[in-house]
Amino acid sequence: MGQDWSIDEVRATVVAYFEMLEQELRGQPLNKSSSRRRLGALLSERSEGAIERKHQNLSAILIELGFPYVRGYKPLSNYQRLLAEVVRDRLPHATSLIEAVRARALAPLADALSVDGELLGRLVEPPIPSEPRSGPSRISDRPRVRPIANYLELEAQQILLGAAGESFTLKFEAERLWRAGQKELANRVEHVSRTRGDGAGYDVLSFEETGRERLIEVKTTTFGPHTPFFVTRNEVRVSADHADQYYVYRLFNFRDDPRLFMVPGGIASSFTLEATQFVARVD
């Protein structure tokens, strides 16, 4: 078993990661391999693989704190307690990084999102979980670090971002059905969140090639594919009631290079759910 990372090693790693994240958020050139090598020179003979895993741990911690992560560093939650403590202590004072995160979360989208090539080429496979689930997903109540400010939720509340993701999905579905030779079905794809309101539990009504209805809930982020998203009780219920027709379309990297993956079935069966708020009543 390797030796635990020292406080000085952890601090240097956190500083390096914060610098990378800020560069990425500000659209500056970023070479992760070069950054790892520079960091390695400050550490006690840590391999690049060990440094990369530490960066993945940092991704997990930042997500729990309501922050985005450096793309390419897939979150890994089996982190050292010291690492979480250093992040928690240093993050409130990383004012330049916080400004970059807030600016990115609140930045308006361009009037017209330009996507080169056919939309179907934007489809990718869902990310493989870092820690495989055993059986259906449940609501998680494991202890977590307390968020400083949930910028992921702040971004998710952007109405224009959500609308742009839904518009992208409408075009994607029309193209999918059109190319399958189902032009009539393509013309019947419906923007349900506009035509029927938000209470339906899904945003887009589309179809399988057989004509069977496909109910699509669209979740859009400008951050990476492992960014968590927010669902309502109604969306979870509707997805369970119509699990054989329901899909979550997760759109990510939406500002720079839009991609999406699809996850079919009930939300509680496909994702780990964590309670973030409660309804309090006076009895």
Side-chain angles (χ1 to χ4, degrees):
M1 180 180 294
Q3 186 177 5
D4 282 345
W5 288 49
S6 69
I7 182 66
D8 290 336
E9 289 180 308
V10 167
R11 285 172 176 165
T13 304
V14 170
V15 168
Y17 189 100
F18 282 8
E19 290 175 352
M20 284 191 294
L21 180 56
E22 183 174 349
Q23 283 180 284
E24 184 173 274
L25 291 170
R26 295 190 185 279
Q28 299 170 352
L30 172 60
N31 186 319
K32 292 193 284 290
S33 297
S34 177
S35 176
R36 283 198 304 271
R37 287 193 293 271
R38 289 196 304 272
L39 175 61
L42 304 175
L43 306 179
S44 302
E45 299 182 355
R46 301 292 181 182
S47 67
E48 280 206 32
I51 295 172
E52 184 167 1
R53 286 190 294 275
K54 216 66 170 178
H55 286 334
Q56 290 181 269
N57 290 150
L58 279 162
S59 293
I61 294 169
L62 283 172
I63 285 174
E64 291 182 10
L65 288 167
F67 278 67
Y69 64 96
V70 176
R71 293 176 192 170
Y73 286 128
K74 179 179 177 179
L76 209 61
S77 61
N78 59 336
Y79 48 75
Q80 181 185 11
R81 177 180 295 180
L82 176 62
L83 185 65
E85 291 173 351
V86 171
V87 173
R88 184 188 59 209
D89 291 343
R90 286 181 170 260
L91 192 55
H93 306 290
T95 54
S96 183
L97 172 59
I98 291 173
E99 288 172 3
V101 173
R102 182 175 179 80
R104 183 60 181 265
L106 295 178
L109 289 170
D111 292 337
L113 181 69
S114 176
V115 178
D116 296 327
E118 63 175 28
L119 292 183
L120 298 189
R122 296 281 161 176
L123 179 65
V124 299
E125 291 295 319
I128 299 173
S130 301
E131 299 170 358
R133 290 183 294 270
S134 56
S137 209
R138 294 134 313 271
I139 295 178
S140 169
D141 61 354
R142 72 182 180 87
R144 302 172 73 91
V145 288
R146 182 173 58 86
I148 295 171
N150 199 328
Y151 292 107
L152 303 181
E153 185 173 7
L154 193 64
E155 187 207 39
Q157 292 170 349
Q158 281 210 60
I159 295 175
L160 291 179
L161 176 62
E166 291 170 15
S167 177
F168 180 100
T169 300
L170 289 166
K171 294 174 183 176
F172 180 93
E173 284 300 291
E175 182 173 315
R176 179 179 66 82
L177 291 167
W178 185 273
R179 288 182 176 274
Q182 299 294 336
K183 298 179 182 179
E184 181 181 349
L185 291 176
N187 292 330
R188 290 171 54 195
V189 174
E190 180 183 350
H191 197 169
V192 170
S193 61
R194 288 189 177 178
T195 60
R196 309 186 198 178
D198 294 328
Y202 58 97
D203 299 309
V204 173
L205 171 63
S206 187
F207 302 90
E208 307 298 341
E209 295 176 25
T210 61
R212 182 177 176 81
E213 291 184 347
R214 177 183 289 201
L215 315 181
I216 302 171
E217 176 61 29
V218 183
K219 299 296 183 182
T220 307
T221 182
T222 65
F223 301 128
H226 291 277
T227 303
F229 56 89
F230 299 85
V231 296
T232 65
R233 180 190 296 269
N234 186 47
E235 289 163 358
V236 173
R237 180 185 60 78
V238 171
S239 74
D241 291 344
H242 303 278
D244 58 341
Q245 297 172 266
Y246 202 93
Y247 279 80
V248 171
Y249 280 26
R250 181 51 163 161
L251 280 59
F252 62 95
N253 293 354
F254 197 70
R255 190 184 304 277
D256 306 319
D257 183 25
R259 302 284 168 175
L260 79 151
F261 60 84
M262 307 173 180
V263 180
I267 292 173
S269 299
S270 305
F271 302 93
T272 298
L273 302 180
E274 178 182 339
T276 59
Q277 62 180 352
F278 300 91
V279 175
R281 296 185 176 90
V282 178
D283 293 330

